Amino acid sequence: MFGKDFSLLALLAWRKIEEIDWNGEQWLLAQSETSLDDGQGKRVILEALDASGKKRHRWILFSANYQPSRAAIKRFLEHRQINPSPEEKERVYAEVSQPREVALFCELGEYDVPIPVDHGSAFALLPTGVTFPVGLHVQADRLLVISRRELMQIEGNEWHEEILKQIPRLLRYYLSWLTSRERGNEGNWQHSYAALPDHTRPDIEADKWFERADFRDHLHKELEVLPFLPAPFRDGGSLTFLAPRDARILPNPLIRAFDDSLVQQRLLFGDRVASTRLLGERATRFLRGLALIQELTPQELAVEWQGGRVQDWIAKCGEDERYNVLGHLLAALAELDEQASWKDVKLLCLPTEAQGWAHRRDARRLPPDWNIFAQEPQFQSALQPFVGPKEVILSHALENVLSSRREDWQTKALKYLESVPGTTLEEVVAKWWNSLPERPSEEQVELVLQFTSWVRAKQPQRKNLIRKLLCVDENKKRKLLPAEKTLLAQPYAGDYRCVFFPDLPLVALQRFPLERREEKGCSREMAAYSLDLRTRIIAAVERQVGSKREIARL
């Protein structure tokens, strides 16, 4: 009799019935009515309490008045088989044209949180067998067939069409009430928003109305300026709500990365972003289809981040976790790169060696083997300017985190960095050598000796990192020259080489006693390393003066 959710009791209470006794069940009914601000609708709290006081149900109901049109009245009279004479026609039409009410309602749970259903039932005070793809029950003066289990046609029936035209306004009443209540995190927001329409069922005649352009346009106009879209929680835990025309939702890769952390989402993407997690899948899907919610565009995000949002967000993370959470962000952005609009946009989201931030297209990467200098800060300091200014050099600490590639997100994040220009260590070292003057300072000499010795000890397979050698000219002055323009002689090569190549200055190691070389920072190992260079130097010199045959002829 009362239905599995006792919804009939709600309508009896709405009709101001105070007590009912049916088949041994006794219920006390009550209602509390509030007029809405537009003067056309009402909000009603309905209650039912059984005689024992142990069972209690509460409902929220929203009603709207409307004036039937003459075409709708004509259809109503036809259904009731009333055919007034010309003399009585205006009187009969006037009686039927009294304002009518349509209502949406659902049960309330704990804390008065609404409990929408999957498909709302159509009531004509008593239940019918018809359901609609909205999460609220619909009460109206319907035109029913004799069995009361079906409606007369909807499509082309003005009376029923005018009833359904009230649903967008009633949904606005519901959402306005839902988002105006003072509550924090309690309740199931996703379920509350499920009052919005679901997928229509192609085999259900009543659902076709919800696919009609005029219904969808009407609902769009009712909701576009209503602030009902939930924004992520503020630090204090309370929600704010956005109107669809002002709100954005995140693209799916960013939702997957950050929707579990609503506080981080607000910090990172701003106050305009609505939470699809709180909206729920059903409401999000419907609002997307209605074009009521739009995705955040790459250009909008670029403007948002230009003000330093990524920096502020990272600053709130633990120091040990910063590059991990940033890596998850870059992994999501890498997925968005499949869209040209995202791939081309400049997002200020990459940390630099200067503790600043850069766009992907402005940044530069250190050589991939930069870590070989981990214990040699003097070499890093000397070589880094030849990669680029620290303000544009991508943080090597970030690259180290991503390069471990233990997780899928690290691989994706590295993909986001693929377009950041890089360089090789050989190219950087070559630029450094080229920057050194022919007459180096004491500090430069010291660094050259240290670097040459380090290459010999730590990177002996990379002799091409040594581009220049210290030597002494005919005036006993020290010079730094390309290896092919210097001469290795005694004690590592014979005196005859000085005869063959009289114009080449001698490598400095040949002129300084071993003890002097060690004072200057050159070890015995470096002297041995000079022998390793001999073959390459001889070949370079010979290219300058002629072939081996010409040398032999001399």
Side-chain angles (χ1 to χ4, degrees), residues 66 95 122 132 146 148 223 313 391 510 518 541:
Y66 75 99
E95 290 177 357
F132 294 122
I146 294 177
R148 292 189 58 85
L223 300 185
W313 167 67
E391 288 73 17
Q510 191 174 2
E518 290 175 346
V541 173

Side-chain angles (χ1 to χ4, degrees), residues 445-508:
V445 167
E446 182 70 21
L447 188 59
V448 165
L449 293 173
Q450 289 180 8
F451 184 75
T452 305
S453 181
W454 177 85
V455 171
R456 187 268 169 192
K458 303 295 185 181
Q459 297 288 314
Q461 76 282 6
R462 302 175 75 174
K463 299 180 177 64
N464 59 342
L465 291 179
I466 305 301
R467 298 299 183 94
K468 292 185 179 182
L469 296 174
L470 287 168
C471 60
V472 290
D473 60 15
E474 63 280 2
N475 298 318
K476 312 302 182 189
K477 298 293 186 181
R478 187 164 50 198
K479 299 174 72 174
L480 182 64
L481 295 176
E484 62 270 19
K485 294 184 178 181
T486 62
L487 182 66
L488 187 64
Q490 278 189 332
Y492 307 117
D495 287 338
Y496 66 90
R497 291 177 56 77
C498 296
V499 177
F500 285 163
F501 309 107
D503 297 329
L504 294 180
L506 296 177
V507 174

Side-chain angles (χ1 to χ4, degrees), residues 44-199:
V44 188
I45 298 295
L46 306 164
E47 296 186 77
L49 182 68
D50 79 332
S52 68
K54 296 180 180 179
K55 296 180 182 179
R56 181 171 179 259
H57 295 276
R58 285 167 61 81
W59 298 266
I60 182 79
L61 179 145
F62 301 91
S63 66
N65 294 326
Y66 75 99
Q67 190 78 37
S69 67
R70 286 188 69 86
I73 294 171
K74 181 176 183 295
R75 183 55 63 93
F76 176 85
L77 294 175
E78 289 174 353
H79 175 68
R80 297 292 177 87
Q81 297 182 352
I82 299 174
N83 187 19
S85 65
E87 295 79 13
E88 296 180 327
K89 186 173 183 178
E90 290 304 318
R91 179 184 61 80
V92 172
Y93 267 70
E95 290 177 357
V96 179
S97 67
Q98 295 300 313
R100 303 282 175 156
E101 272 187 308
V102 180
L104 298 183
F105 69 99
C106 70
E107 192 169 5
L108 295 174
E110 191 177 8
Y111 305 110
D112 279 352
V113 173
I115 309 175
V117 293
D118 287 339
H119 292 88
S121 296
F123 282 80
L125 189 57
L126 294 176
T128 70
V130 177
T131 59
F132 294 122
V134 290
L136 306 172
H137 299 307
V138 185
Q139 156 64 30
D141 298 329
R142 304 183 188 283
L143 305 182
L144 305 176
V145 298
I146 294 177
S147 68
R148 292 189 58 85
R149 300 298 297 169
E150 295 181 21
L151 306 181
M152 290 186 63
Q153 71 177 101
I154 295 178
E155 193 76 24
N157 186 313
E158 293 86 353
W159 184 266
H160 282 154
E161 287 189 356
E162 290 185 11
I163 289 173
L164 294 175
K165 282 181 180 178
Q166 312 312 311
I167 290 180
R169 176 160 50 121
L170 291 167
L171 286 173
R172 173 169 60 83
Y173 291 161
Y174 170 83
L175 292 171
S176 181
W177 164 79
L178 177 69
T179 55
S180 64
R181 301 170 63 238
E182 293 185 3
R183 61 173 175 154
N185 304 351
E186 79 279 0
N188 188 331
W189 282 97
Q190 297 94 326
H191 200 56
S192 297
Y193 282 110
L196 289 168
D198 195 6
H199 287 304

Side-chain angles (χ1 to χ4, degrees), residues 183-186 232-240 262-263 266-267:
R183 61 173 175 154
N185 304 351
E186 79 279 0
F233 297 121
R234 292 186 183 276
D235 291 342
S238 62
L239 279 176
T240 56
L262 299 178
V263 173
R266 191 181 196 108
L267 286 171

Side-chain angles (χ1 to χ4, degrees), residues 1-9 57 123 127:
M1 169 63 180
F2 299 130
K4 62 180 180 180
D5 60 353
F6 295 88
S7 51
L8 182 56
L9 289 177
H57 295 276
F123 282 80

Side-chain angles (χ1 to χ4, degrees), residues 231-232 242 245-249 269-274 296 300 304:
L242 306 166
R245 68 179 182 183
D246 301 323
R248 296 291 184 270
I249 61 171
F269 302 107
D271 297 340
R272 297 181 63 195
V273 174
L296 184 70
E300 289 170 335
E304 198 71 50

